[in-house]
Amino acid sequence: MASKKALLLLPPGVEEMEAVISADILRRAGIKVTIAGPPGKDRVQCSRDVVICPDTNMENAQKEGPYDVVVIPGGNLGVQTMSECPLVKAILKEQDSKKGLIAAICAGPTVLLAHGIGFGSKVTSHPLHKEKMMAGGHFKYSDNRVEKDGHILTSQGAGSCFEFGLGIVETLLGKEAANQVKAPLVLKS
């Protein structure tokens, strides 16, 4: 079986916990994660001033696809940037057209709303974004910490990062693989 590939989008202002924990969980499972920042940026300042060096930029990452999952962290400034970015829209439309997994956490699901991705799906988000996600009737809303509906997987926020990452692993590699990654992390059940 070919190794699974993930693309994690990292514009300035993303929530660093949601980006790093997601990438870490996926890499622990043996998934090749490409962390992609904006063109011309070798360092990205996140929402709490943590600086992360992406592997590449989004333009180059798009050329390295296809990916088994595209991951969208939250963070208000990062989400605003992704919601207005034609390249992010193209990446998501391509992933959506092949029913490839799209995973968004915290404010990240609002990027799906902005680009018309996953309409009709059951989603969750950070509770502060519930009204926005419900407006227009494009989604069914869930208060679950992690929600998966078809090829759309969403989660509520920094406190649900581990569950989110493990949900991606389970979707791509199965429950046993997710349990193997989870065991040494000493998470509450």
Side-chain angles (χ1 to χ4, degrees), residues 129-186:
H129 297 282
K130 180 177 181 175
E131 271 187 44
K132 183 173 186 175
M133 293 302 294
M134 294 298 297
H138 299 298
F139 298 101
K140 295 169 252 164
Y141 197 84
S142 164
D143 288 316
N144 291 334
R145 290 171 59 82
V146 176
E147 186 64 54
K148 182 175 180 306
D149 188 1
H151 67 287
I152 305 293
L153 189 147
T154 52
S155 188
Q156 291 188 327
S160 62
C161 282
F162 287 97
E163 296 156 77
F164 175 67
L166 291 166
I168 297 169
V169 171
E170 183 174 337
T171 300
L172 295 180
L173 301 174
K175 188 149 187 74
E176 185 177 328
N179 287 338
Q180 288 174 351
V181 171
K182 181 180 179 182
L185 297 176
V186 196

Side-chain angles (χ1 to χ4, degrees), residues 19-31:
V20 172
I21 292 170
S22 298
D24 181 272
I25 295 288
L26 299 180
R27 286 181 174 165
R28 286 173 189 255
I31 296 169

Side-chain angles (χ1 to χ4, degrees), residues 69-86:
V69 60
V70 175
V71 181
I72 305 167
N76 288 330
L77 180 59
V79 164
Q80 180 182 341
T81 299
M82 287 186 279
S83 293
E84 297 168 356
C85 178

Side-chain angles (χ1 to χ4, degrees), residues 45-109:
Q45 186 171 344
C46 298
S47 65
R48 304 296 183 281
D49 296 328
V50 170
V51 176
I52 298 175
C53 296
D55 302 313
T56 189
N57 65 51
M58 290 181 204
E59 221 168 60
N60 290 338
Q62 183 183 29
K63 296 171 191 167
E64 295 169 14
Y67 295 92
D68 297 288
V69 60
V70 175
V71 181
I72 305 167
N76 288 330
L77 180 59
V79 164
Q80 180 182 341
T81 299
M82 287 186 279
S83 293
E84 297 168 356
C85 178
L87 181 56
V88 169
K89 181 176 185 171
I91 290 168
L92 292 175
K93 290 284 188 185
E94 181 180 334
Q95 189 74 358
D96 188 47
S97 73
K98 64 183 182 89
K99 301 294 182 213
L101 185 62
I102 298 172
I105 185 167
C106 193

